């Protein structure tokens, strides 16, 4: 979900949520979750001779007077009531909602949520009918040698999906209701058919994103990306300067080419995000990378959890400690709320807890998204449904040869799209069923009062314990687990990690 240029509503809190909000949310939950309402939603979500009844109902709600059957008209009345009730709850004018739904991406998201409630009911966290975001590792080819690469990307693999198969996959994801398709790699731009496939996704009304190292993005390439319909680009910067960035990227001169690529994307009018994978090598450079991101004209800085998988296993000793991560998240929130010019987010699910503990009257980052000012004071009411870690619930990945994984950092093959339909894998996988059930979590993650809004990073738990339900050792509340890892896991450079004796030992926040 990190590659999405939209203010989609996401959601332990020190300030109290007002009783009317709690009461209203409880009412909405009961209303949407009762059997009669689910039956009505099932009626609305059915296809008939008019086509997609839910889509038609939304179009009619927006004022499209095309000839529809009485069933579609009835569906429109129900959808209109649902939208009005939700808007009243969150203090959003109905005209604003109408304007949003006129965007095919928002419309697709609403349809996805309604279908999810129809299938699964109201759940905490909420399960949707199809992932909001699919990250597609489009190829194994890459022109860099990054030490932290989760895919260990090198050369093209035998059997990568070809152009015809790629278009077929796009069609399948679009029909399933996927909102965002994010091309990644390797380096996706090394495939000659990238623009053709990206354009095909755009024609299917999907939100198109690209994760790139930026080294191949000349002015001409940036314009081609814009012409192909790429809405959002995420370009990696892993150091404050060439010396530090190139050391992580494994190629001399990468930093200068990446910076030019960022400038070219900004100039082409593409929403540009800078992504940084935080390790002990660049942890103390985050403030300077934030400043660099502003100077380059980026609109967002996304800090990635380092997960020791793929090539990253070789630098497991570079993972930051729970205390450092806690300090980092507080620093990000401070930068975001105290006048920063760019959005500042993190893929660490603990950001949700940190955000609701310090909710203010400005936009609040929850998970991978920004929550608008109009929803301030209601963060906790939504957070249980948004649910922090979205692996296998709001998000999944497709690997170069068509394998489906819960997350790019979680090398567990659920099935292959050459053998099963995407939705069959999504709905029937026992692995995904387990990831969606927070009652299965172990250790403090299972006991934590924030397990619904956070859930811990399941990829980190899997990387360290080979157990999807294990405690996330990157969380401050699992410090004992981190210390045990430090004491028992030996790597070539010495004792693993940086053992923490107590909370609050780090100093990053002082840089802000």
């Amino acid at each position: 979900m990190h590659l999405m240029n939209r203010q989609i509503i996401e959601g332990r809190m020190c300030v109290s949520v007002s009783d009317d909000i709690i009461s209203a949310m409880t009412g909405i939950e009961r209303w949407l979750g009762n059997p009669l309402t689910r039956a009505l939603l099932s009626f609305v979500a059915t296809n008939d001779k008019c086509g997609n009844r839910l889509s038609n109902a939304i179009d009619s709600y927006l004022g499209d007077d095309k000839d529809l059957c009485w069933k579609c008209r009835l569906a429109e009345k129900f959808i209109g009531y649902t939208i009005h009730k939700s808007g009243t709850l969150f203090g959003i004018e109905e005209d604003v909602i109408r304007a949003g739904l006129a965007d095919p991406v928002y419309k697709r998201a609403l349809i996805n949520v309604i279908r999810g409630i129809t299938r699964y009911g109201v759940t905490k966290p909420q399960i949707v009918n199809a992932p909001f975001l699919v990250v597609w590792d489009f190829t194994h080819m890459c022109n860099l040698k990054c030490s932290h690469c989760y895919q260990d990307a090198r050369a093209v693999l035998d059997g990568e999906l070809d152009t015809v198969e790629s278009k077929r996959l796009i069609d399948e994801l679009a029909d399933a209701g996927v909102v965002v398709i994010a091309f990644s790699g390797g380096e996706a731009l090394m495939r000659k058919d990238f623009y053709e496939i990206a354009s095909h996704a755009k024609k299917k009304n999907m939100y198109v994103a690209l994760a790139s190292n930026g080294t191949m993005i000349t002015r001409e390439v940036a314009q081609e990306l814009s012409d192909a319909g790429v809405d959002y680009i995420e370009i990696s910067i892993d150091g404050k300067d060439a010396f530090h960035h190139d050391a992580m990227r494994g190629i001399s001169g990468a930093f200068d080419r990446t910076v030019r690529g960022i400038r070219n994307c900004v100039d082409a009018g593409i929403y540009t995000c800078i992504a940084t994978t935080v390790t002990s090598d660049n942890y103390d450079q985050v403030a300077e990378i934030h400043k660099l991101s502003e100077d380059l004209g980026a609109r967002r800085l996304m800090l990635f959890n380092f997960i020791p998988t793929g090539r990253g296993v070789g630098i497991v000793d570079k993972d930051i400690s729970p205390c450092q991560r806690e300090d980092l998240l507080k620093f990000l929130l401070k930068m975001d709320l105290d006048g920063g010019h760019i959005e500042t987010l993190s893929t660490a699910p603990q950001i949700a807890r940190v955000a609701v503990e310090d909710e203010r009257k400005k936009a609040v980052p929850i998970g991978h998204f920004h929550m608008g000012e109009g929803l301030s004071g209601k963060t906790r009411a939504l957070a249980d449904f948004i649910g922090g870690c979205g692996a296998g619930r709001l998000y999944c990945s497709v690997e170069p040869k068509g394998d489906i994984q819960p997350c790019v950092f979680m090398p567990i093959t659920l099935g292959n799209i050459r053998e099963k339909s995407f939705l069959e894998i999504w709905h029937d996988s026992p692995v995904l069923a387990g990831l969606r059930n927070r009652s299965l979590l172990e250790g403090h993650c299972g006991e934590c009062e924030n397990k619904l809004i956070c859930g811990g990073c399941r990829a980190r738990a899997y990387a360290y314990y080979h157990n999807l339900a294990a405690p996330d050792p990157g969380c401050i509340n699992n410090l004992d687990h981190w210390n045990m890892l430090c004491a028992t896991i030996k790597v070539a450079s010495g004792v693993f990690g940086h053992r923490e004796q107590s909370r609050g030992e780090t100093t990053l926040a002082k840089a802000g």
Side-chain angles (χ1 to χ4, degrees):
M1 300 169 75
H2 57 278
L3 293 170
M4 194 172 184
N5 171 24
R6 300 285 171 182
Q7 288 192 353
I8 293 179
I9 298 172
E10 270 216 276
R12 178 170 109 178
M13 182 175 182
C14 293
V15 298
S16 61
V17 179
S18 62
D19 291 341
D20 60 329
I21 291 296
I22 294 175
S23 177
M25 285 299 295
T26 301
I28 288 290
E29 184 180 353
R30 290 176 178 170
W31 174 58
L32 288 177
N34 75 62
L36 176 59
T37 303
R38 286 186 66 184
L40 286 170
L41 287 174
S42 181
F43 168 81
V44 169
T46 300
N47 290 339
D48 61 16
K49 63 182 181 180
C50 296
N52 185 298
R53 188 179 295 163
L54 180 52
S55 179
N56 288 336
I58 294 173
D59 289 342
S60 180
Y61 167 78
L62 294 176
D64 189 333
D65 292 328
K66 61 186 177 183
D67 188 27
L68 296 174
C69 69
W70 69 268
K71 293 180 180 179
C72 289
R73 295 292 182 190
L74 180 60
E76 185 272 328
K77 297 297 184 184
F78 181 73
I79 289 298
Y81 175 71
T82 301
I83 292 173
H84 174 76
K85 190 167 186 175
S86 300
T88 300
L89 166 64
F90 293 109
I92 303 174
E93 296 292 335
E94 201 157 350
D95 287 347
V96 175
I97 299 176
R98 289 179 185 272
L101 286 175
D103 185 328
V105 173
Y106 280 89
K107 177 183 173 183
R108 179 181 291 275
L110 178 61
I111 290 173
N112 193 4
V113 170
I114 291 175
R115 284 179 170 170
I117 293 174
T118 298
R119 187 179 188 99
Y120 295 103
V122 177
T123 62
K124 292 184 179 181
Q126 186 60 50
I127 305 170
V128 290
N129 186 65
F132 276 114
L133 168 66
V134 171
V135 174
W136 184 357
D137 288 330
F138 198 48
T139 181
H140 199 256
M141 287 187 290
C142 193
N143 58 338
L144 298 184
K145 301 176 182 178
C146 306
S147 59
H148 56 288
C149 179
Y150 62 78
Q151 198 186 63
D152 194 12
R154 301 174 190 271
V156 64
L157 298 173
D158 290 337
E160 291 188 1
L161 299 178
D162 62 24
T163 303
V164 173
E165 291 176 307
S166 295
K167 287 186 175 180
R168 189 181 302 128
L169 175 59
I170 291 292
D171 292 343
E172 191 171 352
L173 296 178
D175 291 343
V178 173
V179 181
V180 185
I181 181 73
F183 295 92
S184 188
E187 175 53 58
L189 292 178
M190 294 189 75
R191 270 188 62 161
K192 295 180 180 179
D193 60 353
F194 169 78
Y195 301 102
E196 182 179 353
I197 304 303
S199 296
H200 189 67
K202 191 64 179 178
K203 290 173 184 176
K204 293 291 182 177
N205 289 326
M206 300 176 79
Y207 189 81
V208 180
L210 169 66
S212 171
N213 61 45
T215 60
M216 299 176 65
I217 304 178
T218 62
R219 286 187 177 276
E220 292 74 22
V221 167
Q223 189 57 55
E224 285 186 84
L225 292 172
S226 179
D227 294 343
V230 173
D231 298 285
Y232 178 107
I233 188 163
E234 182 180 273
I235 299 178
S236 298
I237 289 284
D238 287 319
K240 64 180 182 178
D241 53 31
F243 175 80
H244 293 91
H245 176 84
D246 292 356
M248 287 188 69
R249 292 278 153 178
I251 297 291
S252 179
F255 180 80
D256 292 337
R257 285 186 288 153
T258 295
V259 166
R260 283 195 295 269
I262 293 168
R263 294 188 188 280
N264 291 334
C265 289
V266 170
D267 291 344
I270 303 172
Y271 189 106
T272 305
C273 167
I274 288 178
T276 300
T277 299
V278 180
T279 69
S280 60
D281 285 340
N282 61 8
Y283 173 81
D284 60 356
Q285 301 172 41
V286 169
E288 290 163 292
I289 293 173
H290 184 278
K291 178 63 165 58
L292 175 63
S293 301
E294 290 186 323
D295 292 344
L296 292 175
R299 297 174 64 180
R300 172 181 287 177
L301 173 64
M302 176 67 77
L303 298 188
F304 274 83
N305 247 347
F306 164 70
I307 307 295
T309 187
R311 200 179 297 149
V313 171
I315 59 166
V316 63
D317 59 314
K318 300 294 186 181
D319 199 357
I320 63 174
S321 70
C323 292
Q324 288 175 312
R325 183 168 289 102
E326 187 79 359
D327 205 21
L328 174 66
L329 296 178
K330 291 178 179 178
F331 170 76
L332 290 186
L333 188 64
K334 183 178 187 301
M335 295 298 290
D336 207 56
L337 299 183
D338 289 351
H341 299 297
I342 62 174
E343 295 178 350
T344 313
L345 301 174
S346 171
T347 63
Q350 290 83 11
I351 188 68
R353 170 182 55 78
V354 173
V356 297
E357 284 176 350
D358 193 20
E359 186 177 359
R360 311 183 197 182
K361 295 181 180 179
K362 298 181 70 174
V364 178
I366 299 296
H368 299 79
F369 302 111
H370 255 262
M371 194 172 169
E373 293 181 23
L375 294 174
S376 181
K378 302 159 190 173
T379 311
R380 181 68 198 217
L382 290 169
D384 287 350
F385 296 97
I386 303 307
C389 180
R393 182 178 56 85
L394 299 176
Y395 148 78
C396 72
S397 70
V398 180
E399 297 311 296
K401 297 166 71 171
D403 291 328
I404 307 298
Q405 296 182 174
C407 170
V408 295
F409 298 104
M410 200 181 291
I412 301 172
T413 299
L414 308 172
N416 189 286
I417 56 93
R418 286 170 169 153
E419 301 167 359
K420 291 184 178 181
S421 73
F422 178 78
L423 280 183
E424 183 181 2
I425 297 170
W426 179 256
H427 290 304
D428 297 344
S429 167
V431 173
L432 297 189
L435 282 169
R436 295 164 185 168
N437 187 352
R438 295 284 167 87
S439 69
L440 300 178
L441 296 180
E442 300 172 3
H444 190 276
C445 285
E447 303 167 358
C448 185
E449 64 180 336
N450 296 302
K451 72 177 180 181
L452 295 181
I453 71 170
C454 171
C457 177
R458 294 300 96 211
R460 178 178 299 282
Y462 186 76
Y464 282 107
Y465 297 110
H466 210 67
N467 176 3
L468 290 173
D472 175 1
C475 178
I476 194 74
N477 292 313
N478 291 316
L479 197 57
D480 289 346
H481 289 272
W482 175 260
N483 283 334
M484 283 189 286
L485 285 171
C486 294
T488 60
I489 300 179
K490 304 294 182 178
V491 293
S493 60
V495 177
F496 165 71
H498 302 275
R499 183 162 185 165
E500 293 296 326
Q501 302 301 326
S502 62
R503 298 178 181 230
E505 294 182 355
T506 57
T507 58
L508 179 64
K510 295 179 181 178

